[in-house]
């Protein structure tokens, strides 16, 4: 099977030129002017952008959370991703305490197998750093799972203490894996929560008020210090605030390999959303929490200045009805997490490119090329050149729409960005050579997505 994309404006992280793109057997085979090879499918991309498919490196699909689980499975979640121009995700497999890393990984592989419509990889969240599991780390890396998320938050559930964090980092130093950190000071947050509930304060806004930005700053600084001593690179997930940015910027200026991600909700929403009446604030309960608006400009600047390198979603959808309502009388019972996988490119294009906060090339770099590079998939993914996977989005820069739960494809009953007007849409989405979305229609079938064995961030 072959596809010829004609007359498009090819935009990558580093280039911007008019060209045709020829695809054969899942790969891009030629990028040049006026290609006239025989083909089964011709797509006219005149006046449209031809970009590498989006890569979302932070999703929680089909993730258990107490007695419930995130509402998208790998079929609905990846279809929604595809509609938004994302052609690869990296999801988090969670190791339970006392569980082998391989068991955790296999459970997540089974969740995705037969369902995912786009390619996927996994990070593993390590919650039990017992030496017997650390010895598995090297083997898991050889299976193409080359990044591990640790938490300094949620004591007793997900948090590792500093010595365990350091021990995992040492192991990563041996095998070249990348450590990702959810950085918030879990002990102090728990104390603040206890005191706040004792004062009878139960509304969603207290989720944010018990997780102050200074505690994200503290944990980010601590993580960076531990990574420096262990001599490993570190990637800080979902960065939200000035204090964390200061820590990352400082470390990078000193030459330490520290990387950072933020998400559309931290750029565009704020603590005020948690104050919405009628318990609607619960829709915005996620961690780290939405911050005061004063942090937003710093995040935008950091995306531009390369203090942050990626935009991901932390897609972790729970329904407002039934799920978020579990915490109507106690904000600590509101499931943490919110949907976003479908609107990452829409929002970052509208508020980044259209509103001139960063360039078109930088947009591609933030949503596709850097995620591929940092997480060991480049140049297979995140690039448009001969030899790369034919994961391509034909982006119509002129299509306007209003984001709404009425029309989105995510399996969840609300959208945090309800009513946001965006211009720019993924008109045609090609995943390893197959047109899977065309003009708002999904054309493929579940199970076509493949597990991606990722390379190491650092070559040993
Ligand atoms: O609230 C969130 N972000 N839930 C997902 C888990 C995490 O910490 O990323
Ligand atoms: Zn997290
Ligand atoms: Zn997350």
């Amino acid at each position: 099977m072959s596809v010829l994309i004609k007359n498009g404006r090819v935009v990558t992280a580093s280039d911007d030129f008019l060209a045709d793109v020829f695809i054969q057997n899942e790969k891009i085979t030629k990028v040049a002017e006026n290609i006239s090879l025989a083909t089964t499918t011709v797509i006219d991309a005149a006046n449209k952008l031809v970009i590498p498919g989006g890569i979302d490196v932070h999703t929680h699909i089909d993730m258990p959370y107490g007695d419930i689980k995130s509402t998208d499975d790998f079929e609905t979640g990846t279809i929604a991703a595809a509609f938004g121009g994302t052609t690869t995700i990296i999801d988090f497999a969670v190791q339970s305490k006392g569980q082998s890393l391989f068991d955790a990984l296999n459970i997540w592989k089974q969740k995705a197998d037969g369902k995912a419509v786009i390619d996927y990889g996994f990070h593993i969240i390590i919650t039990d750093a017992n030496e017997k599991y650390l010895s598995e780390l090297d083997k898991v890396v050889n299976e193409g799972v080359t990044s591990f998320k640790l938490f300094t938050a949620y004591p007793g559930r997900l948090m590792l203490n500093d010595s365990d964090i350091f021990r995992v980092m040492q192991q990563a130093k041996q095998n070249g894996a990348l450590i990702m950190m959810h950085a918030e000071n879990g002990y102090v947050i728990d104390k603040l929560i206890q005191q706040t509930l004792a004062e009878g304060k139960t509304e969603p806004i207290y989720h944010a008020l018990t997780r102050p930005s200074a505690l994200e700053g503290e944990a980010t600084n601590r993580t960076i210090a531990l990574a420096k001593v262990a001599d490993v690179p570190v990637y800080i997930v979902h960065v939200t605030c000035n204090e964390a940015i200061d820590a990352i910027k400082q470390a990078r200026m000193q030459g330490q390999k520290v990387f950072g991600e933020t998400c559309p909700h931290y750029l565009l929403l704020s603590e005020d959303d948690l104050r919405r009446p009628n318990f609607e604030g619960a829709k915005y309960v996620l961690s780290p929490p939405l911050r005061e608006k004063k942090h937003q400009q710093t995040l935008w600047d950091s995306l531009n200045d390369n203090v942050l390198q990626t935009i991901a979603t932390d897609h972790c959808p729970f329904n407002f009805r039934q799920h978020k309502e579990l915490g109507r009388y106690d904000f600590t019972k509101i499931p943490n997490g919110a949907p976003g996988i479908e609107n990452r490119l829409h929002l970052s294009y509208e508020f980044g490119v259209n509103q001139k906060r960063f360039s078109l090339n930088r947009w591609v770099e933030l949503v596709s090329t850097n995620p591929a590079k940092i997480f060991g998939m480049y140049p297979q993914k995140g690039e448009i050149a001969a030899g790369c996977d034919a994961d391509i989005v034909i982006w119509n820069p002129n299509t306007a729409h209003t984001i709404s739960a009425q029309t989105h494809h995510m399996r969840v009953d609300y959208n945090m960005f309800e009513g946001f007007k965006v211009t720019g849409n993924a008109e045609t989405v090609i995943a390893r050579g197959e047109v899977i979305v065309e003009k708002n229609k999904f054309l493929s079938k579940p199970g076509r997505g493949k597990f991606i064995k990722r390379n190491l961030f650092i070559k040993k």
Side-chain angles (χ1 to χ4, degrees):
M1 206 183 81
S2 63
V3 178
L4 177 57
I5 304 170
K6 293 288 293 176
N7 309 315
R9 177 176 167 195
V10 176
V11 181
T12 68
S14 53
D15 290 309
D16 188 341
F17 54 98
L18 295 177
D20 298 345
V21 178
F22 194 68
I23 297 167
Q24 211 162 14
N25 301 330
E26 305 192 354
K27 296 280 182 193
I28 297 169
T29 54
K30 195 170 182 178
V31 182
E33 282 177 33
N34 301 320
I35 299 176
S36 59
L37 295 166
T39 178
T40 39
T41 312
V42 179
I43 301 172
D44 182 17
N47 304 317
K48 290 167 199 164
L49 311 181
V50 178
I51 60 169
I55 300 176
D56 188 348
V57 296
H58 192 148
T59 67
H60 302 276
I61 291 180
D62 205 352
M63 184 194 78
Y65 190 101
D67 295 336
I68 60 174
K69 53 185 184 168
S70 56
T71 52
D72 269 316
D73 64 17
F74 275 83
E75 181 178 332
T76 60
T78 58
I79 288 175
F83 273 106
T86 289
T87 53
T88 305
I89 58 167
I90 311 182
D91 200 79
F92 289 90
V94 188
Q95 175 208 26
S96 308
K97 287 190 196 305
Q99 187 183 39
S100 128
L101 300 185
F102 278 101
D103 287 349
L105 180 60
N106 287 335
I107 289 171
W108 256 263
K109 279 187 170 173
Q110 278 165 25
K111 287 174 193 271
D113 190 37
K115 288 199 161 173
V117 307
I118 57 174
D119 291 349
Y120 55 92
F122 292 110
H123 322 278
I124 299 180
I125 292 176
I126 299 182
T127 65
D128 188 340
N130 188 304
E131 286 298 325
K132 73 177 171 206
Y133 304 129
L134 290 190
S135 65
E136 290 183 343
L137 217 75
D138 305 356
K139 297 188 193 111
V140 174
V141 164
N142 290 333
E143 296 292 307
V145 175
T146 54
S147 43
F148 300 91
K149 184 181 178 190
L150 314 180
F151 284 74
T152 60
Y154 306 111
R157 285 199 289 141
L158 299 166
M159 188 175 107
L160 294 187
N161 63 36
D162 289 355
S163 81
D164 283 348
I165 289 171
F166 183 66
R167 190 57 203 92
V168 179
M169 286 178 170
Q170 286 182 319
Q171 200 69 30
K173 168 80 181 159
Q174 298 294 314
N175 60 39
L178 181 63
I179 298 300
M180 309 165 76
M181 188 63 82
H182 176 128
E184 291 184 285
N185 185 316
Y187 284 136
V188 179
I189 288 169
D190 273 12
K191 181 51 75 184
L192 288 172
I193 288 175
Q194 220 179 54
Q195 292 169 346
T196 302
L197 287 177
E199 289 167 19
K201 296 171 174 163
T202 59
E203 293 83 10
I205 182 59
Y206 292 105
H207 173 73
L209 300 183
T210 53
R211 308 180 86 92
S213 58
L215 297 183
E216 182 180 334
E218 182 280 325
T220 307
N221 272 299
R222 180 162 32 113
T223 298
I224 290 170
L226 296 176
K228 186 173 187 177
V229 178
D231 190 22
V232 288
V234 68
Y235 176 95
I236 313 291
V237 295
H238 45 44
V239 174
T240 73
C241 62
N242 294 333
E243 293 91 330
I245 291 292
D246 285 347
I248 297 169
K249 193 188 269 179
Q250 178 91 359
R252 288 178 64 81
M253 273 168 18
Q254 290 170 5
Q256 199 178 334
K257 284 202 172 65
V258 179
F259 303 94
E261 154 200 293
T262 193
C263 312
H265 41 273
Y266 299 120
L267 294 162
L268 300 168
L269 304 173
S270 78
E271 202 179 274
D272 294 346
D273 290 296
L274 282 116
R275 298 183 194 273
R276 289 186 187 227
N278 305 321
F279 193 60
E280 296 253 334
K283 294 177 177 174
Y284 302 86
V285 168
L286 42 87
S287 296
L290 299 180
R291 301 294 186 196
E292 290 173 79
K293 286 201 174 104
K294 69 178 182 194
H295 297 274
Q296 291 176 349
Q297 189 56 47
T298 314
L299 296 176
W300 284 112
D301 291 346
S302 303
L303 289 169
N304 223 355
D305 299 346
N306 205 35
V307 175
L308 298 176
Q309 294 73 34
T310 65
I311 300 176
T313 61
D314 198 2
H315 178 73
C316 188
F318 296 105
N319 282 324
F320 178 58
R321 302 280 161 220
Q322 292 188 343
H323 293 161
K324 294 284 185 180
E325 272 174 355
L326 293 168
R328 189 171 272 276
Y329 304 108
D330 175 351
F331 68 92
T332 65
K333 298 199 164 58
I334 301 170
N336 285 204
I341 202 167
E342 186 165 349
N343 302 122
R344 184 177 64 116
L345 269 63
H346 298 134
L347 293 163
S348 54
Y349 185 80
E350 171 61 35
F351 294 95
V353 179
N354 287 344
Q355 299 196 14
K356 303 201 181 328
R357 290 185 172 99
F358 46 64
S359 71
L360 201 48
N361 296 110
R362 182 63 178 163
W363 175 59
V364 172
E365 193 164 41
L366 290 165
V367 300
S368 178
T369 310
N370 278 348
K373 285 184 175 169
I374 294 172
F375 290 96
M377 297 184 285
Y378 188 83
Q380 180 187 353
K381 308 272 189 201
E383 186 58 278
I384 296 189
C388 302
D389 278 2
D391 290 351
I392 293 179
V393 172
I394 301 178
W395 186 262
N396 189 331
N398 300 313
T399 310
H401 85 281
T402 302
I403 293 175
S404 174
Q406 304 299 315
T407 48
H408 74 200
H409 301 85
M410 299 179 285
R411 190 165 66 185
V412 62
D413 64 3
Y414 75 98
N415 191 308
M416 284 197 290
F417 303 97
E418 185 75 34
F420 275 53
K421 290 181 173 32
V422 292
T423 300
N425 194 33
E427 193 165 281
T428 306
V429 179
I430 302 172
R432 270 185 294 100
E434 181 185 347
V435 177
I436 61 169
V437 171
E438 174 92 85
K439 297 215 168 81
N440 290 325
K441 281 209 171 58
F442 179 65
L443 303 178
S444 189
K445 51 183 187 323
R448 65 159 303 285
K450 281 192 190 150
F451 171 71
I452 300 290
K453 254 183 123 169
R454 293 181 291 121
N455 296 317
L456 291 171
F457 168 73
I458 326 169
K459 300 268 175 284
K460 270 200 289 174

